[in-house]
Amino acid sequence: MAEILIVEDNEANMRLARLLLMNAGHSVLWAADAECGLTLAREKQPALILMDIQLPGMDGLAATRLLKRDPHTAHIPVIALTAMAMKEDREKTRLAGCDAYVIKPLRYKELYEVIDTLLNPSITPPT
């Protein structure tokens, strides 16, 4: 399976995401803030990044914009993880460069579907 980076400052959310990804056969890298996440993304080149939007210091949207501007990380799909569920919040994540959007609390079927779609572009997303 794939190596996935989780950037999440909440310990409980991090544990849940790690467990879900590991149960699906993925290997997991993790960072508690955007700066560490950016460094890991550049160094390890994960197949995908789960990015919390509300992070201490630099938020996940700013971090995603930096990732997408960097030729070494621009190709890495980013899934926004957020408790914000308004239409304009989804648009903000899209404008920042996020490839998908998953609302917390995480629902494993939705998370797996989004990951599978991004890692295997030939898969048609469910309607």
Side-chain angles (χ1 to χ4, degrees):
M1 296 302 277
E3 184 170 58
I4 297 176
L5 170 60
I6 306 167
V7 184
E8 169 66 67
D9 65 317
N10 179 285
E11 181 67 29
N13 290 338
M14 174 68 78
R15 281 197 311 264
L16 175 60
R18 281 178 50 205
L19 177 66
L20 291 174
L21 293 175
M22 290 168 56
N23 283 345
H26 300 291
S27 58
V28 178
L29 301 167
W30 66 90
D33 60 51
E35 290 82 3
C36 290
L38 291 169
T39 300
L40 275 173
R42 288 182 191 115
E43 290 176 359
K44 300 293 185 174
Q45 294 289 303
L48 186 135
I49 298 171
L50 298 179
M51 179 72 72
D52 183 23
I53 298 305
Q54 296 180 318
L55 292 166
M58 181 189 308
D59 71 20
L61 296 177
T64 299
R65 282 190 287 274
L66 290 173
L67 287 167
K68 294 299 183 172
R69 287 183 192 141
D70 184 335
H72 296 99
T73 57
H75 66 283
I76 303 171
V78 177
I79 300 173
L81 299 179
T82 181
M84 302 178 296
M86 304 301 286
K87 185 177 180 179
E88 56 270 11
D89 296 321
R90 184 179 299 260
E91 183 64 10
K92 286 179 188 175
T93 64
R94 188 189 66 75
L95 291 172
C98 294
D99 299 280
Y101 178 94
V102 174
I103 298 169
K104 294 190 274 185
L106 294 177
R107 291 173 299 284
Y108 75 94
K109 287 182 183 179
E110 177 187 10
L111 181 64
Y112 292 161
E113 286 175 358
V114 171
I115 289 171
D116 287 345
T117 299
L118 290 173
L119 292 180
N120 304 297
S122 61
I123 295 175
T124 305
T127 57

